[in-house]
Amino acid sequence: GFNAVRLPFKWERLQPRLGRGFDKAERTRLSDAVKALRKAGMTVILDPHNYAYYGKDRIGSDAVPDSAFADFWQRLAEDYKEDEGVQFGLMNEPYDVTATQWLASVNAAIAAIRQTGATNLVLVPGTIWTGAHSWEEEREGGANGTVMLAVEDPANNHAYEVHQYLDADFSGKAKTCE
């Protein structure tokens, strides 16, 4: 009865150089997968599986500024803005970044997506692996539950994405999660 699929991919494979076009083979591979899933009646959630990093550099750093993250999402939104059955999961499980810095990255990406005319649903993760258990936990840079309320979406079509593993340390690594 499931009707949605998170389609994970590595940002570096799709866009080998920041600020440049997508790799043609990877773009085709992603497009073919999306088409097959859509043909099967599935909603597709595009999911860069990078944990708020590009290679070894964190989004929001000098090496990977928010503008690079925005550029990536603008290019991807251009490809899928006509298909409301494609949703944009901004990033899988960001960590090692403050909520305030991550909010700046999120807002830059959403602004770039909306500049394309895309109205697709945007799934907004928090930091700390976007764990539901820690959503309201105060940390340096604030709690996701407070800071992420300042998401700016001109289309007002976003939702917060949280993940929750049910073992004692919320890692999903314990045998109870197998």
Side-chain angles (χ1 to χ4, degrees), residues 67-124:
S67 59
F69 188 50
D71 171 78
F72 165 75
W73 270 109
Q74 187 168 33
R75 292 172 191 274
L76 200 55
E78 281 290 346
D79 287 351
Y80 297 99
K81 68 182 180 182
E82 303 296 327
D83 189 344
E84 290 297 319
V86 174
Q87 300 174 355
F88 303 147
L90 292 180
M91 182 59 59
N92 183 68
E93 298 184 347
Y95 77 97
D96 195 28
V97 58
T98 66
T100 50
Q101 172 52 58
W102 182 240
L103 175 65
S105 303
V106 163
N107 282 337
I110 292 174
I113 289 167
R114 299 306 183 213
Q115 285 175 0
T116 70
T119 59
N120 308 59
L121 177 65
V122 175
L123 298 174
V124 179

